[in-house]
């Protein structure tokens, strides 16, 4: 077992421990795009609005958030995951080497670039953004890398990575960590045989709370007043003000919540819900509703014909939830009641993926606009989430898979 301790470093190369071995650090920066393949389509124009990063097989494409025109395209690995980096401009591309920095150039006059800068990680996993910090988790070591989100833009402009804080893990597992504004560190607990719960440490590294009542712990979200929610195979855990509370699912012994969709201005959390451990496929027909102020958990069934996957839910205007269903409509869900208050047709009806990595519809949000992918037609659509109007649509020359938005904030 590895010793758990906190390591703080200020230098760019030392911050990663092994960063000197990365090809990235000597040549990285916004001007060093890796084998750009979409140069003929790139406009290079300044963008004051959001940019959309879209992954496809062996490629990452950057779209203008208003026109959905391609402004950059870059060779990458066969399958990559995408997450906003937290600074409004960059996206983390999860690769076999770690978290690679994609500069979408949102809000700047620069051109997009898949930089050579990589936060090294053994089996890169979750990316969390909270309290002005970006938190990267490595499944292969359970190490957590933390940096100030606002430092990323200037660092990348200078061709380097920002200074980081590394918190060494104990037993490797597919996990996640969160850092609260007062320095409280929350991380999952598990090993190669499974995941069991969470541990909470104060800013000095002392354990202040822990729970082993969360089999299969997965997914996190931080709601209003820094209430942190994590899903379990039989409900959820809520950490708030030094206390961990277990909320049991009404479907027992199995009622899995694996993803939390949150707004940091609302105490209400929307989670996915699976009630049959033997069910085939990845389509879900119910949602979990958690009130972190009242410490309650409810499960609400969706109308017949409306199913979704983990990629199909996002929070947006009015702290409501927006769900892209298998009927092709964006459904507006009120987390306070569990009711669908509106449904807007956007894409064609679709079936669930055979494997979770397979391309299937997803939704992400920037302001009042939701971006919906439609792999069946190789298309992306921008939807006004206050009216349901489809603002723009664009057919790509690739099949969209994962998607992330840089908001230019």
């Amino acid at each position: 077992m590895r010793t758990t301790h906190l390591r703080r470093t200020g230098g760019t190369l030392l911050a990663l421990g092994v960063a000197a071995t990365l090809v990235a650090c000597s040549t990285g920066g916004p001007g060093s795009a890796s084998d750009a393949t979409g140069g003929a389509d790139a406009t290079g124009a300044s963008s004051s609005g959001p940019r959309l990063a879209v992954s496809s097989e062996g490629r990452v494409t950057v779209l203008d958030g208003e026109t959905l025109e391609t402004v950059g395209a870059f060779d990458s690995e066969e399958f990559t995951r995408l997450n906003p980096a937290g600074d409004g401009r960059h996206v983390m591309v999860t690769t076999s080497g770690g978290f690679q920095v994609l500069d979408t150039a949102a809000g700047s006059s620069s051109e997009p670039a898949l930089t050579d800068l990589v936060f090294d990680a053994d089996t890169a996993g979750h990316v969390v953004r909270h309290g002005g910090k970006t938190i990267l988790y490595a499944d292969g070591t359970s190490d957590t890398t933390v940096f100030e989100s606002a430092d990323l833009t200037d660092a990348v402009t200078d061709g380097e990575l920002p200074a980081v804080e590394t918190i060494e893990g104990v037993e490797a597992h597919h996990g996640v960590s969160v850092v609260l504004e007062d320095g409280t560190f929350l991380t999952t607990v598990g090993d190669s045989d499974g995941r069991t719960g969470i541990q909470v440490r104060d800013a000095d590294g002392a354990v202040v709370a822990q729970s082993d009542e969360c089999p299969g712990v997965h997914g996190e979200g931080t709601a209003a007043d820094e209430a942190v929610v994590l899903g379990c195979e039989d409900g959820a855990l809520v950490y708030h003000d030094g206390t961990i509370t277990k909320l049991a699912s009404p479907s027992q012994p199995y009622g899995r919540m694996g993803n939390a969709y949150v707004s940091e201005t609302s105490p209400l959390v929307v989670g996915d819900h699976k009630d049959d451990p033997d069910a085939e496929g990845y389509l879900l027909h119910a949602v979990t509703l958690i009130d972190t102020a009242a410490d309650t958990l409810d499960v609400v069934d969706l109308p017949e014909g409306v199913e979704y996957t983990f990629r199909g839910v996002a929070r947006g205007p009015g702290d409501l939830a927006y769900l892209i269903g298998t009927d092709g409509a964006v459904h507006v869900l009120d987390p306070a009641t569990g009711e669908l208050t509106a449904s807007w047709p956007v894409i064609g009806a679709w079936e669930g993926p055979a494997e979770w990595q397979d391309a299937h519809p997803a939704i992400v949000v920037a302001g009042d606009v939701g971006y919906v992918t439609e792999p069946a037609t190789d298309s992306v659509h921008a939807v006004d989430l206050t009216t349901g109007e489809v603002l723009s649509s664009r057919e790509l020359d690739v099949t969209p898979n994962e998607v992330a938005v840089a908001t230019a904030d």
Side-chain angles (χ1 to χ4, degrees):
M1 180 178 293
R2 302 170 59 198
T3 301
T4 303
H5 69 277
L6 184 67
R7 182 172 73 247
R8 300 177 189 274
T9 55
T12 302
L13 296 182
L14 289 177
L16 292 173
V18 295
T21 65
L22 297 177
V23 176
C25 293
S26 61
T27 60
S32 57
S34 303
D35 299 327
T37 60
D41 295 329
T43 65
S46 174
S47 172
S48 59
R51 289 277 173 87
L52 205 63
V54 179
S55 71
S56 54
E57 187 173 348
R59 182 168 155 181
V60 178
T61 303
V62 179
L63 309 178
D64 181 272
E66 295 181 357
T67 66
L68 300 183
E69 292 180 354
T70 297
V71 294
F74 310 95
D75 288 340
S76 188
E77 295 182 355
E78 181 178 359
F79 176 75
T80 56
R81 307 211 68 186
L82 303 177
N83 287 278
D87 65 342
R89 173 168 170 170
H90 294 90
V91 167
M92 293 298 180
V93 182
T94 302
T95 69
S96 58
F99 302 92
Q100 186 173 8
V101 181
L102 170 68
D103 184 0
T104 70
S108 77
S109 59
S110 304
E111 293 187 2
L114 182 59
T115 76
D116 288 331
L117 297 173
V118 179
F119 291 89
D120 181 62
D122 181 347
T123 315
H126 282 274
V127 178
V128 172
R129 302 157 300 279
H130 176 70
K133 291 181 171 59
T134 304
I135 303 104
L136 312 176
Y137 191 91
D139 291 346
T141 59
S142 75
D143 289 352
T144 302
T145 298
V146 185
F147 63 89
E148 296 290 335
S149 305
D151 291 347
L152 184 61
T153 295
D154 287 343
V156 173
T157 298
D158 293 337
E160 58 186 20
L161 293 170
V164 308
E165 178 181 287
T166 299
I167 305 169
E168 291 192 350
V170 180
E171 293 283 351
H173 64 280
H174 177 53
V176 66
S177 298
V178 182
V179 178
L180 302 183
E181 292 182 6
D182 65 357
T184 297
F185 175 70
L186 185 153
T187 191
T188 53
V189 175
D191 56 29
S192 58
D193 294 326
R195 307 181 299 275
T196 57
I198 62 173
Q199 184 181 91
V200 183
R201 308 176 208 163
D202 64 19
D204 296 322
V207 176
V208 296
Q210 56 189 343
S211 172
D212 60 359
E213 295 184 291
C214 193
V217 58
H218 186 273
E220 60 71 42
T222 303
D225 200 26
E226 292 201 304
V228 182
V229 175
L230 296 101
C232 314
E233 291 181 350
D234 57 359
L237 294 182
V238 177
Y239 174 78
H240 188 221
D241 286 342
T243 300
I244 299 173
T245 302
K246 174 62 180 286
L247 302 178
S249 171
S251 59
Q252 291 292 332
Y254 185 88
R256 181 182 187 270
M257 174 179 150
N259 295 275
Y261 311 97
V262 301
S263 166
E264 294 195 350
T265 57
S266 171
L268 305 178
V269 174
V270 177
D272 54 10
H273 178 77
K274 181 179 181 180
D275 56 14
D276 182 358
D278 300 320
E280 296 183 0
Y282 296 90
L283 291 179
L284 303 170
H285 60 82
V287 294
T288 301
L289 301 179
I290 294 174
D291 186 334
T292 60
D295 283 336
T296 60
L297 184 154
D298 296 296
V299 172
V300 175
D301 286 320
L302 296 172
E304 179 122 9
V306 179
E307 294 179 293
Y308 69 100
T309 76
F310 66 96
R311 290 182 184 165
V313 185
R315 298 297 284 271
D319 286 335
L320 301 173
Y322 298 82
L323 181 153
I324 179 66
T326 49
D327 58 353
V330 169
H331 300 276
V332 184
L333 174 73
D334 184 347
T337 64
E339 296 180 355
L340 298 184
T341 60
S343 297
W344 305 311
V346 175
I347 65 175
W350 53 280
E351 297 181 354
E355 302 293 339
W356 70 264
Q357 300 96 329
D358 293 344
H360 60 278
I363 183 171
V364 294
V365 174
D368 290 342
V369 178
Y371 296 96
V372 177
T373 62
E374 187 176 15
T377 62
D378 294 341
S379 299
V380 178
H381 310 273
V383 183
D384 185 331
L385 295 180
T386 65
T387 65
E389 177 187 0
V390 177
L391 302 173
S392 57
S393 296
R394 180 74 57 175
E395 184 176 344
L396 310 178
D397 61 355
V398 293
T399 300
N401 195 339
E402 294 241 336
V403 59
V405 63
T407 59
D409 292 341

